[in-house]
Amino acid sequence: MGEVSTIGVDLAKSVFQVHGADASGAVLFRKKLRRHQVLTFFAAQPPCTVAMEACGSAHHWAREIGRLGHMVRLIPPAYVKPYVKRQKNDMADAEAICEAAQRPTMRFVVPKSEQAQAAAVVFRARDLLVKQRTQIINALRGHLTEFGIVVAKGPAHVPQLVRAVEDGAEPILELARPILQGLIEMLQALDHRLAGLDRKIAQRAKEDETAQRLMTIPGVGPVTATALAALAPPAETFKRGRDFAAWVGLTPLQHSTGGKQKLGATSKMGERTLRRLLILGASGVLRWAARNGAPAGSWIARMVSRKPPMLVRVALANKMARVIWALMAKGGIYRAPAASV
């Protein structure tokens, strides 16, 4: 029996499946481990490559197993799926992870430190509160529509919703008014919590040198700059800005064959929070250009004149991502080129 070279681990809450193989790929063992047995098992193994899918708790286990002297590799689940043979089960998944990790062209996810994961919590929490706020606003709009009161979409029109509920002259039955008032109170509490998180993010941006440099880019504010510093992998992970834009999910899907290039919709792969923030930032830049006018002959002026608005937003977000990578990789601040916004 050869010496173990690669161990694939199918992560779970309680019962883990491991698959060991030697350098040639021959199977050495298949085991089930309870949660408390995992570290004891790997402590007894010779230093080798340990592969896992980049999913929930993967970064925690990567840190713990890495401390035992193993080289830990995290693989995106989409890259493991082609190696699953026939039926899907824990044993087949562990084998597929082990086999995928042995491919010389496989791409891996950089394990995050505890500090990086802690820094990301504020953005995950903020996203959740924003979603809840949107749900309550939509609920208020929907309920008021049933009483014949129509209000435009968006947080900017929330004061109209509040006035409609509080105005006794509006045709809202008193049976429903206290319930709607309760939704408004929930909305105000969410706004208060979001304001508190935004203050923490702004303070963090002031203390972070990288975030300060990123904020020189048009469309990148404190939230986006701090999120990039917290959520993006190290710049050296990518060879070029195009690779970083692809990781964020701002490049088109390809359906090319026979030498013919066919590009589809945006891939939407990678970090969803950063992609959304960059598109929102690009939308802000384009709104500014619409109000003040883009310089004649600039990239934005040419794109706006011949492309749909959403396509221009995504294209500008893609350019922003490339500039962000350049600043993170090479230092410096953003300096606008001639004839641009």
Side-chain angles (χ1 to χ4, degrees):
M1 181 178 293
E3 183 175 339
V4 63
S5 171
T6 307
I7 300 176
V9 184
D10 184 48
L11 298 175
K13 294 182 179 68
S14 301
V15 181
F16 296 65
Q17 179 75 37
V18 296
H19 179 98
D22 61 17
S24 66
V27 179
L28 299 181
F29 57 78
R30 297 185 176 94
K31 292 179 179 293
K32 284 186 178 181
L33 301 173
R34 305 295 298 184
R35 188 180 184 88
H36 67 275
Q37 298 173 319
V38 173
L39 294 181
T40 303
F41 171 80
F42 282 103
Q45 300 300 315
C48 62
T49 299
V50 178
M52 297 173 280
E53 286 186 329
C55 56
S57 77
H59 294 279
H60 163 74
W61 287 111
R63 292 190 297 268
E64 294 296 321
I65 295 174
R67 293 189 183 106
L68 299 175
H70 301 291
M71 178 183 292
V72 182
R73 297 289 196 179
L74 301 183
I75 309 175
Y79 295 166
V80 174
K81 188 175 181 180
Y83 296 94
V84 177
K85 300 180 181 69
R86 289 185 178 263
Q87 305 296 332
K88 183 190 182 306
N89 52 57
D90 293 347
M91 187 180 298
D93 287 347
E95 181 179 357
I97 293 168
C98 183
E99 186 170 343
Q102 293 180 314
R103 299 302 95 198
T105 59
M106 182 53 60
R107 297 178 181 179
F108 302 101
V109 176
V110 178
K112 295 180 181 178
S113 66
E114 291 177 329
Q115 184 176 1
Q117 287 193 294
V121 170
V122 65
F123 301 102
R124 307 302 186 203
R126 188 179 185 277
D127 282 349
L128 176 61
L129 295 181
V130 169
K131 289 178 182 177
Q132 291 176 341
R133 181 180 65 178
T134 302
Q135 289 176 336
I136 293 177
I137 291 173
N138 289 339
L140 283 169
R141 288 182 61 253
H143 292 318
L144 291 180
T145 301
E146 297 296 330
F147 293 101
I149 304 171
V150 178
V151 178
K153 295 180 180 179
H157 301 283
V158 168
Q160 290 179 253
L161 296 171
V162 175
R163 285 195 296 269
V165 173
E166 294 177 347
D167 188 353
E170 294 290 353
I172 301 175
L173 294 181
E174 291 304 318
L175 181 64
R177 200 180 297 274
I179 308 302
L180 298 176
Q181 185 62 47
L183 291 177
I184 290 174
E185 292 172 1
M186 292 174 61
L187 185 60
Q188 292 170 341
L190 287 173
D191 285 337
H192 177 72
R193 290 185 178 274
L194 280 169
L197 289 179
D198 287 343
R199 285 193 296 271
K200 291 181 181 179
I201 291 172
Q203 181 61 36
R204 188 181 297 180
K206 291 180 181 178
E207 299 170 353
D208 191 309
E209 184 268 340
T210 300
Q212 287 290 312
R213 291 191 294 105
L214 294 179
M215 286 169 61
T216 61
I217 304 172
V220 177
V223 174
T224 304
T226 313
L228 285 162
L231 301 177
E236 56 270 20
T237 305
F238 309 97
K239 292 183 178 180
R240 57 186 72 87
R242 182 178 181 180
D243 295 340
F244 177 68
W247 176 81
V248 177
L250 291 170
T251 52
L253 291 169
Q254 292 194 43
H255 303 277
S256 305
T257 184
K260 296 181 179 179
Q261 296 291 325
K262 296 182 180 180
L263 302 181
T266 307
S267 70
K268 296 184 179 180
M269 301 177 74
E271 180 55 60
R272 179 171 51 190
T273 299
L274 294 181
R275 181 172 62 253
R276 181 177 59 81
L277 289 173
L278 288 174
I279 292 176
L280 289 174
S283 300
V285 172
L286 292 174
R287 283 196 299 270
W288 185 93
R291 289 194 305 267
N292 300 278
S298 66
W299 180 87
I300 288 181
R302 296 196 305 272
M303 289 290 288
V304 169
S305 66
R306 59 191 177 89
K307 296 294 184 180
M310 191 60 201
L311 189 150
V312 180
R313 293 190 193 106
V314 175
L316 180 56
N318 184 297
K319 289 175 68 71
M320 291 168 59
R322 298 185 185 206
V323 174
I324 286 166
W325 176 86
L327 265 60
M328 295 177 70
K330 303 175 183 179
I333 63 173
Y334 176 79
R335 292 181 175 85
S340 68
V341 173

